Amino acid sequence: MTQATVLQVSNLTKVYGREIHLGLRKFGKKIIGAQNVSFSVSKGEIFGFLGPNGAGKTTVMRSILNYLRIEEGEISVFGLDHRKNSLEIRKRIGYIPGDLAVYDNFTGEELIKYFNHFRQNNLELLEELRTIFTVNLKQKTRTLSSGNRQQVGIILALASKPEFLILDEPSSGLDPLITAKFHKLLKRLKKEGVTIFLSSHDLTEVQAICDRVGIIKNGEMVLVEDVENLRKKFLQHVFVRFSSSKVPQLEEIKELDFVLDANQKNNGDFKLKIKENIDDLINWLKGYEIERLSIEDASLEEIFLHYYD
Amino acid sequence: MVHIFLKNLVKKWKAGIIIPLSLGLFVLLIAAIWPDMREAADLFAVILESPVYAAMLGDMGIFNIAVWPGAHQMYMSIMLEYYIIAVTIFIPTKIITEEINKKTLDVTLSYPIPRWRFLLEKFSVYLFYSLLYPLLLMLFTFISTEYLQYNYAHLNVEFDYLALTYSMIGTWMLFFSLGAIALFCSVLILDPRKALGVSATVIFGMFLLFRIGDMTESVEIIKYFSVFNYMNFAAIVSSGTFPVGDFFVLLGVGLAALIGALLIFQKRELKY
Ligand SMILES: Nc1ncnc2c1ncn2[C@@H]1O[C@H](COP(=O)(O)OP(=O)(O)OP(=O)(O)O)[C@@H](O)[C@H]1O
Ligand SMILES: [Mg+2]
């Protein structure tokens, strides 16, 4: 079954700044925000967007909202062009910016009421949000703690129960209890057909709620994969003890192209980190006599970190 | 849908009322001291002829403060221009730069609000409060004149309200067209401090252009490039006629700047 595509990003390239050449001299500086980024998010999916600081997550999200002008590429939301149909798209989405700020001389209630004029609140969901989140909505947002202000941002973005949520680090600053409730809510909304595209630095969060992840690094999407597949497919730990007749050199092992990393313990056992091709490993091991062998999936955290550096 | 307008109308009511009120209330003060002031009218005439005042007030700085309209005109000529300069530099520029400073645009514009409309509604709030300048000034002028006529009947105080009305329409037009120019600069630049710098340079620059052109016959032509040259308060009051041409110049400049600002904001990248 192919699900409808809600977000389609193709070859997105965003460059900040401009270089001006006058003769041999160069003025200004180009900074790549995102380069040739392609991915899509299907209806009813929670897509996690990961990557180190400054990798380009916010850049991609703000491009989708048509805040940034992209140099190259195409973005469509609900099959509509993100630029030409921006207004139509914004009727059906909810957004939490990474650097959240709301009008600070208003209370949460006032903001809810004000933005209701532009995107009608879903009263049922709003009621639920009021019970989940602990923030005092009668307090001016200027006087709220940053976590509480984030709660207001979440309530505002979700209040109309939009079809598609674009959440830039939505749980930053939330306490663990609220975070857990928020995750539960997202999962339920997903079941009700809401599509969610969220960025995060919290790997447990991604592991807990995302169906798929995209990892962006230096503006480039280095991986898009099902969370379930990730483990199996990407990184495994191999522990091997060779019988003493023939033992390969550590250097030799490190040279193998399916081996990402290897080291030797004091007792002579080898510990290998391998990528994808278990067949290659088996073929290679055939050349040796083996006393003990075990293969373990790496933790997701390890996989992510591997892509981070 | 005028929710953005209404929200900002409420949000800005204090500054929106207090600034024009402060300008207006001074009319009462001038009226209160005028009977004493006129005793020293001869001395004032000498002072006003000095080059310093001529520079400040321009060619029309020759006021006959022996009569109430002259004193009124002197106050207005000095203060009104400075108010116009200060207000049009700061307030329209802040319409967008304040949102950028506080980072509130990202949330607001994620709602289905056309950007041009957002800007127009906020600018309309500025235009609305700018109306208070002419209205309050006329009100306080009226009260002052009544007060003087009642308490100083022997001075035969008179006032040409028609000319005042004309000049007040001109004042509002100046708020409109200079405000639109500042708005244009701010959406073009976006960066709050730079935008303020550019707006200030453009508006104050135009003021200087007008003053210099007005004082120096050899470069008189430059004053026509300044918005301040049109529907000038003192010129209208002294001629007593409505300068239709000037009105359309200001309307045209203001509309062009406003439409330009709306178009730019609608299209431009929100990068800061
Ligand atoms: N306004 C700007 N001008 C110039 N460069 C910018 C601007 N905004 C972002 N960048 C650059 O673009 C790159 C990507 O930034 P972006 O904010 O998208 O990263 P991010 O993945 O969201 O990071 P974080 O995890 O810290 O939120 C960075 O190198 C950053 O310096
Ligand atoms: Mg970010």
Side-chain angles (χ1 to χ4, degrees):
Chain A
M1 185 183 77
T2 53
Q3 286 278 29
T5 304
V6 171
L7 171 68
Q8 175 79 53
V9 174
S10 324
N11 305 313
L12 183 161
T13 297
K14 166 72 208 160
V15 182
Y16 292 102
R18 206 177 301 165
E19 262 174 26
I20 298 165
H21 294 267
L22 286 177
L24 291 175
R25 296 175 80 182
K26 201 171 76 181
F27 298 91
K29 202 173 135 202
K30 274 194 200 171
I31 300 171
I32 306 284
Q35 190 158 32
N36 211 16
V37 170
S38 300
F39 66 98
S40 63
V41 181
S42 312
K43 182 165 166 53
E45 177 176 50
I46 303 185
F47 187 96
F49 200 19
L50 293 169
N53 289 134
K57 301 179 292 296
T58 301
T59 301
V60 170
M61 290 179 151
R62 294 191 82 240
S63 301
I64 296 169
L65 280 141
N66 194 25
Y67 294 157
L68 296 176
R69 185 180 291 271
I70 60 177
E71 267 66 41
E72 266 170 63
E74 270 162 46
I75 302 173
S76 67
V77 184
F78 311 118
L80 303 166
D81 181 79
H82 82 297
R83 181 169 279 275
K84 279 195 219 106
N85 302 299
S86 163
L87 200 64
E88 182 57 37
I89 291 169
R90 284 182 282 147
K91 286 180 186 160
R92 299 161 64 185
I93 63 162
Y95 169 61
I96 301 176
D99 199 356
L100 177 82
V102 284
Y103 295 117
D104 61 5
N105 54 351
F106 278 68
T107 68
E109 283 306 348
E110 285 167 342
L111 288 169
I112 291 170
K113 213 173 127 197
Y114 175 58
F115 286 121
N116 178 53
H117 295 305
F118 308 109
R119 222 167 33 219
Q120 195 118 41
N121 290 331
N122 176 312
L123 294 181
E124 207 177 313
L125 181 58
L126 183 59
E127 230 13 78
E128 194 180 349
L129 290 165
R130 282 183 208 276
T131 54
I132 290 177
F133 292 100
T134 51
V135 58
N136 179 0
L137 292 170
K138 298 208 161 58
Q139 204 175 323
K140 288 220 192 295
T141 60
R142 186 190 318 145
T143 63
L144 291 173
S145 71
S146 63
N148 278 328
R149 209 173 305 132
Q150 188 73 17
Q151 293 190 21
V152 174
I154 295 175
I155 294 174
L156 291 177
L158 271 58
S160 61
K161 198 173 181 183
E163 291 166 60
F164 182 33
L165 291 168
I166 300 174
L167 313 176
D168 197 350
E169 298 183 35
S171 46
S172 74
L174 299 183
D175 70 49
L177 190 65
I178 298 290
T179 307
K181 287 184 182 171
F182 175 53
H183 287 169
K184 211 171 137 195
L185 176 66
L186 290 184
K187 280 205 249 183
R188 213 204 62 225
L189 288 174
K190 164 201 149 88
K191 283 211 190 90
E192 294 172 19
V194 175
T195 309
I196 301 165
F197 175 45
L198 72 95
S199 77
S200 178
H201 286 298
D202 180 355
L203 304 176
T204 10
E205 167 170 70
V206 173
Q207 212 161 325
I209 64 171
C210 294
D211 303 305
R212 279 197 309 146
V213 292
I215 299 181
I216 189 168
K217 209 172 120 180
N218 297 328
E220 287 179 69
M221 203 69 145
V222 289
L223 173 88
V224 180
E225 189 56 60
D226 270 29
V227 173
E228 281 193 14
N229 283 349
L230 257 181
R231 267 193 172 157
K232 290 183 212 140
K233 213 167 150 187
F234 282 89
L235 201 64
Q236 279 155 327
H237 290 299
V238 178
F239 300 91
V240 55
R241 180 181 299 167
F242 298 96
S243 60
S244 49
S245 57
K246 188 183 171 194
V247 179
Q249 292 294 309
L250 182 63
E251 292 313 309
E252 192 182 317
I253 295 176
K254 280 185 176 170
E255 294 286 292
L256 296 165
D257 53 351
F258 58 90
V259 172
L260 293 166
D261 196 15
N263 51 58
Q264 194 168 19
K265 295 186 188 170
N266 292 337
N267 64 1
D269 289 4
F270 288 93
K271 191 181 163 197
L272 277 55
K273 235 190 231 181
I274 68 161
K275 192 175 74 177
E276 257 174 290
N277 291 348
I278 199 125
D279 292 344
D280 290 346
L281 174 77
I282 290 165
N283 281 334
W284 173 69
L285 288 174
K286 276 178 188 160
Y288 298 91
E289 237 174 80
I290 289 159
E291 235 163 58
R292 271 181 66 176
L293 175 70
S294 76
I295 300 175
E296 278 173 20
D297 290 343
S299 71
L300 266 185
E301 184 133 345
E302 212 175 331
I303 296 167
F304 290 140
L305 291 178
H306 166 73
Y307 280 97
Y308 268 50
D309 59 33
Chain B
M1 281 224 313
V2 285
H3 302 292
I4 302 162
F5 175 79
L6 291 176
K7 167 186 160 278
N8 286 283
L9 198 67
V10 173
K11 189 174 163 187
K12 297 293 182 200
W13 74 270
K14 274 188 210 149
I17 291 174
I18 287 172
I19 303 172
L21 194 63
S22 67
L23 181 66
L25 281 174
F26 265 96
V27 176
L28 294 181
L29 184 72
I30 300 291
I33 59 170
W34 171 73
D36 291 331
M37 204 165 77
R38 60 185 289 279
E39 310 283 324
D42 294 344
L43 187 64
F44 262 99
V46 176
I47 294 174
L48 288 173
E49 271 167 27
S50 91
V52 178
Y53 283 95
M56 267 172 70
L57 307 174
D59 254 357
M60 281 151 284
I62 321 304
F63 308 107
N64 177 12
I65 65 161
V67 294
W68 162 238
H72 179 271
Q73 193 185 338
M74 183 185 74
Y75 168 70
M76 296 283 259
S77 293
I78 300 171
M79 293 307 287
L80 198 53
E81 247 161 18
Y82 292 140
Y83 262 73
I84 291 175
I85 292 169
V87 167
T88 56
I89 286 175
F90 286 100
I91 295 178
T93 310
K94 269 176 70 178
I95 288 176
I96 240 27
T97 59
E98 194 177 34
E99 302 257 356
I100 286 169
N101 251 336
K102 297 196 168 168
K103 301 174 179 157
T104 44
L105 277 181
D106 265 43
V107 168
T108 307
L109 295 180
S110 74
Y111 288 84
I113 304 164
R115 288 196 205 165
W116 65 265
R117 173 157 194 160
F118 174 74
L119 195 64
L120 184 61
E121 287 194 29
K122 289 195 80 175
F123 187 67
S124 306
V125 172
Y126 158 78
L127 286 182
F128 180 87
Y129 283 121
S130 300
L131 267 179
L132 291 183
Y133 292 91
L135 293 179
L136 290 176
L137 284 172
M138 299 221 294
L139 175 70
F140 287 119
T141 303
F142 178 74
I143 294 172
S144 301
T145 308
E146 288 294 301
Y147 159 82
L148 290 171
Q149 281 169 347
Y150 187 76
N151 288 294
Y152 298 88
H154 64 284
L155 294 178
N156 291 323
V157 171
E158 276 177 37
F159 204 91
D160 182 355
Y161 287 111
L162 189 63
L164 180 69
T165 308
Y166 291 161
S167 70
M168 287 296 102
I169 293 172
T171 297
W172 191 67
M173 287 307 292
L174 275 172
F175 274 109
F176 167 64
S177 93
L178 285 166
I181 290 170
L183 187 75
F184 180 87
C185 294
S186 72
V187 298
L188 195 67
I189 312 284
L190 280 195
D191 179 89
R193 284 169 71 184
K194 281 188 207 154
L196 190 62
V198 171
S199 297
T201 309
V202 169
I203 288 173
F204 200 70
M206 283 211 268
F207 176 68
L208 289 182
L209 221 56
F210 168 63
R211 270 280 169 272
I212 295 167
D214 205 30
M215 281 194 319
T216 327
E217 238 162 86
S218 57
V219 290
E220 199 192 346
I221 182 133
I222 62 171
K223 78 174 184 188
Y224 296 103
F225 294 99
S226 168
V227 169
F228 287 93
N229 183 51
Y230 303 94
M231 297 208 82
N232 181 275
F233 175 82
I236 295 176
V237 171
S238 50
S239 74
T241 54
F242 188 81
V244 181
D246 283 15
F247 176 83
F248 282 105
V249 169
L250 291 191
L251 187 67
V253 169
L255 280 179
L258 178 59
I259 291 169
L262 297 178
L263 286 177
I264 290 173
F265 190 63
Q266 176 70 17
K267 298 271 176 209
R268 77 155 298 157
E269 166 164 88
L270 300 176
K271 183 173 66 181
Y272 24 85

